[in-house]
Amino acid sequence: MAEVVIVPDAASAGALVADEIVSLITADPEVVLGLATGSTPLPVYQALRERLAGVDVSRVRGFALDEYVGIDPGHPESYRNVIRREVVEPLGLDPERIHVPNGALATIEHAGADYERAIAAAGGVELQILGIGTDGHIGFNEPGSSFASATRVKTLTEQTRHDNARFFDSIDQVPMHCITQGLGTILRARHLVLLAFGEGKAEAVAGAVEGPVTASLPGSAIQLHPRVSVVVDEAAASRLRFADYYRYTWENKPAWQGL
Ligand code: GLP
């Protein structure tokens, strides 16, 4: 079962996850982090800013989950640019060591296999940050995605394009296709940390943590992983049946176990 940590707000979640990441970097300055875009991980990156001042991050490596296919590389909402703006620059990471799937049309046929090889060559991801879509997608693995899937091109659902339209001038500008790490890829990371905030995510969180394991709710793949931390605020936790047990477990967790 995933460990569920219910926190008062997004800032507390960011602090908790950032502390864990700082310990990983301190233990291994070349640690491989799994980065995510979307608004959900921003409090983690914000908390890392304060904590990483004075820490040598020059050798930290990272792999982002996904990218839009065919998006103008100069577009501010391409995930390559989002990762550069929200993570690489503020944290002072080496851009050469931080990878994002390549959504360029010219090389798209082998971009997925290339990305899988790069992750494997780096020794795999130590800690993967995840958000969750309102339809339960993780990365851009929409409902129906195989639990064994690798990095590949997918078609975005209308729901996801609608959800992400806020980052574009209009929904027509939201790309139709994406390239995303597969659920199989994500499940190979050694620790999954799924964050969610707000009422709008409550149903997806409940499905992912407590619902049946089903490709119809890709986030439920986390139930197959031996080490998962789900960090949510009260609103995102509001549909969890066993919320009291999760609180009780967290309050009584031995300090040495960490997140
Ligand atoms: C996008 C991203 C996902 C993210 C989801 C939720 O679809 N590809 O990785 O989890 O949005 O976004 P937000 O965190 O902004 O709610």
Side-chain angles (χ1 to χ4, degrees), residues 14-28:
L16 190 66
V17 178
D19 283 344
E20 179 66 18
I21 293 174
V22 173
S23 326
L24 291 176
I25 296 174
T26 310
D28 175 8

Side-chain angles (χ1 to χ4, degrees), residues 18-94:
D19 283 344
E20 179 66 18
I21 293 174
V22 173
S23 326
L24 291 176
I25 296 174
T26 310
D28 175 8
E30 295 196 8
V31 67
V32 180
L33 300 174
L35 305 168
T37 49
S39 44
T40 306
L42 295 178
V44 177
Y45 304 140
Q46 182 62 42
L48 278 172
R49 261 183 218 215
E50 301 145 20
R51 286 165 174 75
L52 288 178
V55 176
D56 177 15
V57 294
S58 62
R59 287 179 292 153
V60 170
R61 296 171 292 169
F63 288 89
L65 284 171
D66 45 13
E67 175 61 291
Y68 293 108
V69 168
I71 192 168
D72 173 356
H75 194 293
E77 295 303 329
S78 80
Y79 284 175
R80 174 169 303 280
N81 283 328
V82 172
I83 289 285
R84 181 182 49 70
R85 192 169 63 236
E86 305 288 357
V87 187
V88 174
E89 288 177 355
L91 302 186
L93 305 181
D94 177 358

Side-chain angles (χ1 to χ4, degrees), residues 17 21 34-36 41 44-45 65 127-131 191 193-195:
V17 178
I21 293 174
L35 305 168
V44 177
Y45 304 140
L65 284 171
L127 180 149
Q128 176 65 57
I129 301 170
L130 295 169
H191 182 188
V193 177
L194 188 148
L195 298 121

Side-chain angles (χ1 to χ4, degrees), residues 1-13:
M1 178 189 256
E3 170 170 67
V4 180
V5 188
I6 303 170
V7 292
D9 50 32
S12 319

Side-chain angles (χ1 to χ4, degrees), residues 144-156:
S145 294
S146 159
F147 284 174
S149 50
T151 305
R152 72 233 183 274
V153 172
K154 291 285 288 180
T155 305
L156 296 174

